[in-house]
PDB file of all heavy atoms in Angstrom:
ATOM      1  N   VAL A 169      49.737  21.033  25.237  1.00 92.00           N
ATOM      2  CA  VAL A 169      48.567  21.001  26.128  1.00 92.00           C
ATOM      3  C   VAL A 169      47.278  21.014  25.309  1.00 92.00           C
ATOM      4  O   VAL A 169      46.344  20.236  25.574  1.00 92.00           O
ATOM      5  CB  VAL A 169      48.604  22.190  27.123  1.00 92.00           C
ATOM      6  CG1 VAL A 169      47.276  22.340  27.841  1.00 92.00           C
ATOM      7  CG2 VAL A 169      49.736  22.010  28.123  1.00 92.00           C
ATOM      8  N   ILE A 170      47.206  21.885  24.306  1.00 90.00           N
ATOM      9  CA  ILE A 170      46.005  21.983  23.470  1.00 90.00           C
ATOM     10  C   ILE A 170      45.760  20.666  22.728  1.00 90.00           C
ATOM     11  O   ILE A 170      44.625  20.197  22.631  1.00 90.00           O
ATOM     12  CB  ILE A 170      46.120  23.175  22.487  1.00 90.00           C
ATOM     13  CG1 ILE A 170      46.051  24.492  23.267  1.00 90.00           C
ATOM     14  CG2 ILE A 170      45.039  23.118  21.413  1.00 90.00           C
ATOM     15  CD1 ILE A 170      46.448  25.718  22.481  1.00 90.00           C
ATOM     16  N   HIS A 171      46.842  20.048  22.234  1.00 89.00           N
ATOM     17  CA  HIS A 171      46.699  18.758  21.550  1.00 89.00           C
ATOM     18  C   HIS A 171      46.157  17.701  22.524  1.00 89.00           C
ATOM     19  O   HIS A 171      45.275  16.912  22.155  1.00 89.00           O
ATOM     20  CB  HIS A 171      48.045  18.314  20.976  1.00 89.00           C
ATOM     21  CG  HIS A 171      47.980  17.013  20.248  1.00 89.00           C
ATOM     22  ND1 HIS A 171      47.330  16.874  19.038  1.00 89.00           N
ATOM     23  CD2 HIS A 171      48.475  15.787  20.553  1.00 89.00           C
ATOM     24  CE1 HIS A 171      47.425  15.610  18.638  1.00 89.00           C
ATOM     25  NE2 HIS A 171      48.115  14.939  19.537  1.00 89.00           N
ATOM     26  N   ALA A 172      46.666  17.694  23.746  1.00 91.00           N
ATOM     27  CA  ALA A 172      46.182  16.745  24.757  1.00 91.00           C
ATOM     28  C   ALA A 172      44.697  16.985  25.068  1.00 91.00           C
ATOM     29  O   ALA A 172      43.925  16.031  25.232  1.00 91.00           O
ATOM     30  CB  ALA A 172      47.016  16.866  26.029  1.00 91.00           C
ATOM     31  N   VAL A 173      44.296  18.245  25.102  1.00 91.00           N
ATOM     32  CA  VAL A 173      42.879  18.577  25.339  1.00 91.00           C
ATOM     33  C   VAL A 173      42.018  18.058  24.185  1.00 91.00           C
ATOM     34  O   VAL A 173      40.930  17.511  24.405  1.00 91.00           O
ATOM     35  CB  VAL A 173      42.700  20.104  25.530  1.00 91.00           C
ATOM     36  CG1 VAL A 173      41.216  20.483  25.521  1.00 91.00           C
ATOM     37  CG2 VAL A 173      43.345  20.557  26.837  1.00 91.00           C
ATOM     38  N   PHE A 174      42.512  18.204  22.938  1.00 88.00           N
ATOM     39  CA  PHE A 174      41.786  17.658  21.786  1.00 88.00           C
ATOM     40  C   PHE A 174      41.610  16.150  21.925  1.00 88.00           C
ATOM     41  O   PHE A 174      40.538  15.607  21.650  1.00 88.00           O
ATOM     42  CB  PHE A 174      42.527  17.971  20.478  1.00 88.00           C
ATOM     43  CG  PHE A 174      42.331  19.369  19.962  1.00 88.00           C
ATOM     44  CD1 PHE A 174      43.324  19.986  19.213  1.00 88.00           C
ATOM     45  CD2 PHE A 174      41.168  20.083  20.214  1.00 88.00           C
ATOM     46  CE1 PHE A 174      43.151  21.279  18.731  1.00 88.00           C
ATOM     47  CE2 PHE A 174      40.990  21.370  19.740  1.00 88.00           C
ATOM     48  CZ  PHE A 174      41.977  21.970  18.994  1.00 88.00           C
ATOM     49  N   LEU A 175      42.692  15.469  22.334  1.00 89.00           N
ATOM     50  CA  LEU A 175      42.621  14.012  22.517  1.00 89.00           C
ATOM     51  C   LEU A 175      41.571  13.622  23.549  1.00 89.00           C
ATOM     52  O   LEU A 175      40.737  12.745  23.318  1.00 89.00           O
ATOM     53  CB  LEU A 175      43.989  13.467  22.951  1.00 89.00           C
ATOM     54  CG  LEU A 175      45.053  13.291  21.881  1.00 89.00           C
ATOM     55  CD1 LEU A 175      46.398  12.961  22.511  1.00 89.00           C
ATOM     56  CD2 LEU A 175      44.656  12.180  20.915  1.00 89.00           C
ATOM     57  N   LEU A 176      41.613  14.300  24.700  1.00 90.00           N
ATOM     58  CA  LEU A 176      40.658  14.003  25.773  1.00 90.00           C
ATOM     59  C   LEU A 176      39.229  14.321  25.346  1.00 90.00           C
ATOM     60  O   LEU A 176      38.298  13.568  25.655  1.00 90.00           O
ATOM     61  CB  LEU A 176      41.025  14.787  27.040  1.00 90.00           C
ATOM     62  CG  LEU A 176      42.326  14.353  27.734  1.00 90.00           C
ATOM     63  CD1 LEU A 176      42.682  15.314  28.865  1.00 90.00           C
ATOM     64  CD2 LEU A 176      42.216  12.924  28.262  1.00 90.00           C
ATOM     65  N   SER A 177      39.058  15.418  24.607  1.00 88.00           N
ATOM     66  CA  SER A 177      37.720  15.793  24.122  1.00 88.00           C
ATOM     67  C   SER A 177      37.173  14.736  23.165  1.00 88.00           C
ATOM     68  O   SER A 177      36.003  14.359  23.254  1.00 88.00           O
ATOM     69  CB  SER A 177      37.770  17.144  23.411  1.00 88.00           C
ATOM     70  OG  SER A 177      38.197  18.148  24.285  1.00 88.00           O
ATOM     71  N   ALA A 178      38.029  14.254  22.258  1.00 84.00           N
ATOM     72  CA  ALA A 178      37.594  13.238  21.302  1.00 84.00           C
ATOM     73  C   ALA A 178      37.213  11.942  22.018  1.00 84.00           C
ATOM     74  O   ALA A 178      36.206  11.304  21.689  1.00 84.00           O
ATOM     75  CB  ALA A 178      38.684  12.970  20.279  1.00 84.00           C
ATOM     76  N   LEU A 179      38.000  11.573  23.023  1.00 87.00           N
ATOM     77  CA  LEU A 179      37.677  10.372  23.810  1.00 87.00           C
ATOM     78  C   LEU A 179      36.350  10.543  24.531  1.00 87.00           C
ATOM     79  O   LEU A 179      35.517   9.623  24.564  1.00 87.00           O
ATOM     80  CB  LEU A 179      38.793  10.080  24.816  1.00 87.00           C
ATOM     81  CG  LEU A 179      40.092   9.497  24.237  1.00 87.00           C
ATOM     82  CD1 LEU A 179      41.183   9.454  25.306  1.00 87.00           C
ATOM     83  CD2 LEU A 179      39.848   8.091  23.695  1.00 87.00           C
ATOM     84  N   ALA A 180      36.130  11.716  25.102  1.00 87.00           N
ATOM     85  CA  ALA A 180      34.879  11.996  25.819  1.00 87.00           C
ATOM     86  C   ALA A 180      33.686  11.952  24.862  1.00 87.00           C
ATOM     87  O   ALA A 180      32.641  11.375  25.189  1.00 87.00           O
ATOM     88  CB  ALA A 180      34.962  13.353  26.511  1.00 87.00           C
ATOM     89  N   ILE A 181      33.840  12.529  23.661  1.00 82.00           N
ATOM     90  CA  ILE A 181      32.754  12.519  22.670  1.00 82.00           C
ATOM     91  C   ILE A 181      32.437  11.095  22.248  1.00 82.00           C
ATOM     92  O   ILE A 181      31.276  10.686  22.192  1.00 82.00           O
ATOM     93  CB  ILE A 181      33.132  13.385  21.444  1.00 82.00           C
ATOM     94  CG1 ILE A 181      33.130  14.870  21.815  1.00 82.00           C
ATOM     95  CG2 ILE A 181      32.162  13.139  20.282  1.00 82.00           C
ATOM     96  CD1 ILE A 181      33.745  15.766  20.759  1.00 82.00           C
ATOM     97  N   ALA A 182      33.499  10.297  21.958  1.00 81.00           N
ATOM     98  CA  ALA A 182      33.298   8.909  21.523  1.00 81.00           C
ATOM     99  C   ALA A 182      32.630   8.079  22.617  1.00 81.00           C
ATOM    100  O   ALA A 182      31.714   7.299  22.348  1.00 81.00           O
ATOM    101  CB  ALA A 182      34.630   8.291  21.120  1.00 81.00           C
ATOM    102  N   LEU A 183      33.065   8.258  23.865  1.00 85.00           N
ATOM    103  CA  LEU A 183      32.493   7.511  24.988  1.00 85.00           C
ATOM    104  C   LEU A 183      31.038   7.900  25.211  1.00 85.00           C
ATOM    105  O   LEU A 183      30.169   7.045  25.389  1.00 85.00           O
ATOM    106  CB  LEU A 183      33.321   7.765  26.253  1.00 85.00           C
ATOM    107  CG  LEU A 183      32.879   7.018  27.517  1.00 85.00           C
ATOM    108  CD1 LEU A 183      32.958   5.513  27.296  1.00 85.00           C
ATOM    109  CD2 LEU A 183      33.744   7.423  28.702  1.00 85.00           C
ATOM    110  N   THR A 184      30.760   9.198  25.177  1.00 83.00           N
ATOM    111  CA  THR A 184      29.386   9.681  25.352  1.00 83.00           C
ATOM    112  C   THR A 184      28.483   9.124  24.264  1.00 83.00           C
ATOM    113  O   THR A 184      27.367   8.667  24.531  1.00 83.00           O
ATOM    114  CB  THR A 184      29.347  11.228  25.317  1.00 83.00           C
ATOM    115  OG1 THR A 184      30.236  11.732  26.307  1.00 83.00           O
ATOM    116  CG2 THR A 184      27.948  11.751  25.564  1.00 83.00           C
ATOM    117  N   GLU A 185      28.984   9.136  23.019  1.00 77.00           N
ATOM    118  CA  GLU A 185      28.202   8.632  21.895  1.00 77.00           C
ATOM    119  C   GLU A 185      27.903   7.149  22.055  1.00 77.00           C
ATOM    120  O   GLU A 185      26.800   6.692  21.792  1.00 77.00           O
ATOM    121  CB  GLU A 185      28.998   8.877  20.601  1.00 77.00           C
ATOM    122  CG  GLU A 185      28.166   8.895  19.353  1.00 77.00           C
ATOM    123  CD  GLU A 185      27.009   9.863  19.418  1.00 77.00           C
ATOM    124  OE1 GLU A 185      27.135  10.970  19.963  1.00 77.00           O
ATOM    125  OE2 GLU A 185      25.934   9.491  18.911  1.00 77.00           O
ATOM    126  N   LYS A 186      28.893   6.395  22.541  1.00 79.00           N
ATOM    127  CA  LYS A 186      28.705   4.950  22.751  1.00 79.00           C
ATOM    128  C   LYS A 186      27.667   4.701  23.843  1.00 79.00           C
ATOM    129  O   LYS A 186      26.807   3.836  23.704  1.00 79.00           O
ATOM    130  CB  LYS A 186      30.037   4.309  23.120  1.00 79.00           C
ATOM    131  CG  LYS A 186      29.964   2.808  23.225  1.00 79.00           C
ATOM    132  CD  LYS A 186      31.312   2.170  23.326  1.00 79.00           C
ATOM    133  CE  LYS A 186      31.151   0.667  23.332  1.00 79.00           C
ATOM    134  NZ  LYS A 186      32.416  -0.038  23.378  1.00 79.00           N
ATOM    135  N   LEU A 187      27.741   5.468  24.930  1.00 80.00           N
ATOM    136  CA  LEU A 187      26.800   5.293  26.043  1.00 80.00           C
ATOM    137  C   LEU A 187      25.379   5.684  25.647  1.00 80.00           C
ATOM    138  O   LEU A 187      24.417   5.026  26.029  1.00 80.00           O
ATOM    139  CB  LEU A 187      27.239   6.133  27.241  1.00 80.00           C
ATOM    140  CG  LEU A 187      28.533   5.679  27.945  1.00 80.00           C
ATOM    141  CD1 LEU A 187      28.949   6.698  28.994  1.00 80.00           C
ATOM    142  CD2 LEU A 187      28.349   4.305  28.573  1.00 80.00           C
ATOM    143  N   ILE A 188      25.248   6.738  24.843  1.00 77.00           N
ATOM    144  CA  ILE A 188      23.911   7.215  24.466  1.00 77.00           C
ATOM    145  C   ILE A 188      23.251   6.301  23.449  1.00 77.00           C
ATOM    146  O   ILE A 188      22.086   5.945  23.574  1.00 77.00           O
ATOM    147  CB  ILE A 188      23.989   8.654  23.895  1.00 77.00           C
ATOM    148  CG1 ILE A 188      24.322   9.635  25.016  1.00 77.00           C
ATOM    149  CG2 ILE A 188      22.690   9.053  23.213  1.00 77.00           C
ATOM    150  CD1 ILE A 188      24.591  11.045  24.544  1.00 77.00           C
ATOM    151  N   HIS A 189      24.007   5.885  22.423  1.00 67.00           N
ATOM    152  CA  HIS A 189      23.398   5.177  21.304  1.00 67.00           C
ATOM    153  C   HIS A 189      23.483   3.658  21.363  1.00 67.00           C
ATOM    154  O   HIS A 189      22.866   2.992  20.563  1.00 67.00           O
ATOM    155  CB  HIS A 189      24.004   5.666  19.983  1.00 67.00           C
ATOM    156  CG  HIS A 189      23.578   7.053  19.657  1.00 67.00           C
ATOM    157  ND1 HIS A 189      22.322   7.347  19.208  1.00 67.00           N
ATOM    158  CD2 HIS A 189      24.235   8.240  19.760  1.00 67.00           C
ATOM    159  CE1 HIS A 189      22.217   8.650  19.020  1.00 67.00           C
ATOM    160  NE2 HIS A 189      23.364   9.217  19.351  1.00 67.00           N
ATOM    161  N   HIS A 190      24.252   3.105  22.292  1.00 56.00           N
ATOM    162  CA  HIS A 190      24.352   1.640  22.371  1.00 56.00           C
ATOM    163  C   HIS A 190      24.157   1.135  23.806  1.00 56.00           C
ATOM    164  O   HIS A 190      24.933   0.336  24.281  1.00 56.00           O
ATOM    165  CB  HIS A 190      25.711   1.172  21.841  1.00 56.00           C
ATOM    166  CG  HIS A 190      26.031   1.706  20.489  1.00 56.00           C
ATOM    167  ND1 HIS A 190      25.399   1.254  19.363  1.00 56.00           N
ATOM    168  CD2 HIS A 190      26.885   2.686  20.084  1.00 56.00           C
ATOM    169  CE1 HIS A 190      25.862   1.922  18.300  1.00 56.00           C
ATOM    170  NE2 HIS A 190      26.746   2.790  18.717  1.00 56.00           N
ATOM    171  N   PRO A 191      23.089   1.595  24.500  1.00 49.00           N
ATOM    172  CA  PRO A 191      22.946   1.160  25.892  1.00 49.00           C
ATOM    173  C   PRO A 191      22.581  -0.316  26.031  1.00 49.00           C
ATOM    174  O   PRO A 191      22.877  -0.943  27.022  1.00 49.00           O
ATOM    175  CB  PRO A 191      21.818   2.045  26.415  1.00 49.00           C
ATOM    176  CG  PRO A 191      21.042   2.440  25.200  1.00 49.00           C
ATOM    177  CD  PRO A 191      22.022   2.474  24.076  1.00 49.00           C
ATOM    178  N   GLY A 192      21.950  -0.888  24.989  1.00 49.00           N
ATOM    179  CA  GLY A 192      21.478  -2.265  25.136  1.00 49.00           C
ATOM    180  C   GLY A 192      22.193  -3.252  24.245  1.00 49.00           C
ATOM    181  O   GLY A 192      21.645  -4.304  23.923  1.00 49.00           O
ATOM    182  N   ASP A 193      23.394  -2.921  23.818  1.00 48.00           N
ATOM    183  CA  ASP A 193      24.110  -3.834  22.910  1.00 48.00           C
ATOM    184  C   ASP A 193      24.393  -5.184  23.528  1.00 48.00           C
ATOM    185  O   ASP A 193      24.473  -6.189  22.840  1.00 48.00           O
ATOM    186  CB  ASP A 193      25.442  -3.196  22.463  1.00 48.00           C
ATOM    187  CG  ASP A 193      25.209  -2.242  21.302  1.00 48.00           C
ATOM    188  OD1 ASP A 193      24.050  -2.149  20.854  1.00 48.00           O
ATOM    189  OD2 ASP A 193      26.182  -1.593  20.880  1.00 48.00           O
ATOM    190  N   ASP A 194      24.567  -5.194  24.864  1.00 46.00           N
ATOM    191  CA  ASP A 194      24.911  -6.456  25.533  1.00 46.00           C
ATOM    192  C   ASP A 194      23.681  -7.285  25.888  1.00 46.00           C
ATOM    193  O   ASP A 194      23.801  -8.402  26.340  1.00 46.00           O
ATOM    194  CB  ASP A 194      25.725  -6.167  26.804  1.00 46.00           C
ATOM    195  CG  ASP A 194      27.047  -5.506  26.475  1.00 46.00           C
ATOM    196  OD1 ASP A 194      27.625  -5.829  25.424  1.00 46.00           O
ATOM    197  OD2 ASP A 194      27.480  -4.651  27.271  1.00 46.00           O
ATOM    198  N   GLU A 195      22.477  -6.697  25.704  1.00 46.00           N
ATOM    199  CA  GLU A 195      21.265  -7.439  26.063  1.00 46.00           C
ATOM    200  C   GLU A 195      20.956  -8.450  24.968  1.00 46.00           C
ATOM    201  O   GLU A 195      21.128  -8.184  23.785  1.00 46.00           O
ATOM    202  CB  GLU A 195      20.091  -6.468  26.201  1.00 46.00           C
ATOM    203  CG  GLU A 195      20.243  -5.509  27.388  1.00 46.00           C
ATOM    204  CD  GLU A 195      19.118  -4.480  27.420  1.00 46.00           C
ATOM    205  OE1 GLU A 195      18.129  -4.662  26.657  1.00 46.00           O
ATOM    206  OE2 GLU A 195      19.228  -3.533  28.191  1.00 46.00           O
ATOM    207  N   PRO A 196      20.424  -9.634  25.368  1.00 44.00           N
ATOM    208  CA  PRO A 196      20.056 -10.628  24.341  1.00 44.00           C
ATOM    209  C   PRO A 196      18.876 -10.154  23.515  1.00 44.00           C
ATOM    210  O   PRO A 196      17.972  -9.514  24.036  1.00 44.00           O
ATOM    211  CB  PRO A 196      19.702 -11.870  25.160  1.00 44.00           C
ATOM    212  CG  PRO A 196      19.388 -11.367  26.527  1.00 44.00           C
ATOM    213  CD  PRO A 196      20.162 -10.112  26.714  1.00 44.00           C
TER     214      PRO A 196
END
Side-chain angles (χ1 to χ4, degrees):
V169 168
I170 291 167
H171 181 70
V173 170
F174 281 151
L175 282 171
L176 292 173
S177 299
L179 286 171
I181 289 169
L183 182 61
T184 304
E185 202 54 39
K186 186 169 184 178
L187 291 173
I188 290 173
H189 290 286
H190 308 287
D193 277 357
D194 297 326
E195 293 175 11

